[in-house]
Amino acid sequence: MNIFVLPKKVRLWSRIFRKLLKLEYLRIAKESLVLAVPSDLAKQMALHGSFPASDSASDNYKVLFPECNLTLFKDYPFVLTHKNSTIRELVDHIFTHAGFKPDVLFETSNNHAIVSAVHSGICCGIIPMYYVRPQDPHIRYFALPEHPEWNICAAHRKDHYLTKAAREFISLAAGYFQALT
């Protein structure tokens, strides 16, 4: 059994691949994506009245992170995941919906690299909630207007037996992600 993270909108080739291999997907959790911005940039923009200057605390990310229009950051560079990553199609859709193509500083296969680049103040990024570190004073997070989410899934072949251990692992993974939300 392999654990795959799949975007909400599954590509045509994925559907064909799933039919050929007869894969079954078990959703473990839904995870929100958020905008990560260098704190200094967020402070500058807050001074100009672009969005609230202070953070609020809540268990709900939609309240924890104020909503912000992505177009406010269209003139700033972004670090994105590689085009072939599972999340990239969703991220591209977010930019298309916002009405602009981002200035891509570089692409990476590692979300930690995006967080590090934002932390250093050189760019903005869109990351899954799992990578959010609200205690980092160098990064400010924002909910996006669409409140994009993706599904975290376990995939297995339909024609193969799913062992009790595998089912238990999926259950533990679901419990872990549920505890994060």
Side-chain angles (χ1 to χ4, degrees):
M1 179 189 73
N2 293 315
I3 300 294
F4 297 101
V5 180
L6 300 174
K8 189 174 184 179
K9 181 181 169 189
V10 179
R11 296 180 185 144
L12 176 61
W13 64 265
S14 293
R15 285 188 293 238
I16 293 168
F17 183 71
R18 182 174 18 171
K19 285 180 183 177
L20 289 174
L21 291 181
K22 299 178 184 162
L23 294 178
E24 182 175 341
Y25 295 93
L26 305 171
R27 189 172 75 194
I28 293 173
K30 279 188 175 184
E31 184 178 31
S32 301
L33 303 180
V34 296
L35 174 64
V37 176
S39 291
D40 290 342
L41 175 59
K43 287 175 189 171
Q44 290 172 0
M45 295 184 80
L47 290 174
H48 294 101
S50 298
F51 46 76
S54 64
D55 290 321
S56 59
S58 168
D59 290 334
N60 182 338
Y61 88 94
K62 293 173 186 174
V63 176
L64 175 63
F65 306 128
E67 191 172 291
C68 183
N69 189 332
L70 187 60
T71 57
L72 293 172
F73 300 96
K74 68 181 178 184
D75 297 326
Y76 298 94
F78 281 81
V79 172
L80 303 178
T81 54
H82 285 296
K83 290 183 190 275
N84 61 350
S85 70
T86 54
I87 198 171
R88 182 59 183 268
E89 181 180 358
L90 183 54
V91 171
D92 287 344
H93 172 75
I94 292 166
F95 284 110
T96 299
H97 188 265
F100 73 98
K101 288 189 177 211
D103 174 18
V104 179
L105 185 63
F106 66 89
E107 294 178 340
T108 179
S109 61
N110 187 329
N111 282 304
H112 288 293
I114 296 173
V115 173
S116 293
V118 175
H119 174 92
S120 68
I122 63 171
C123 65
C124 303
I126 295 176
I127 59 171
M129 281 292 289
Y130 179 81
Y131 296 93
V132 168
R133 302 294 178 253
Q135 69 278 8
D136 185 340
H138 301 286
I139 302 177
R140 178 93 189 269
Y141 299 95
F142 296 95
L144 294 163
E146 291 183 318
H147 301 288
E149 296 178 323
W150 70 339
N151 292 318
I152 299 172
C153 298
H156 69 93
R157 291 193 47 176
K158 285 183 183 181
D159 59 352
H160 281 81
Y161 174 72
L162 192 59
T163 66
K164 184 176 179 181
R167 288 192 304 269
E168 181 63 21
F169 176 77
I170 292 168
S171 176
L172 288 170
Y176 171 78
F177 281 100
Q178 212 168 26
L180 292 177
T181 58

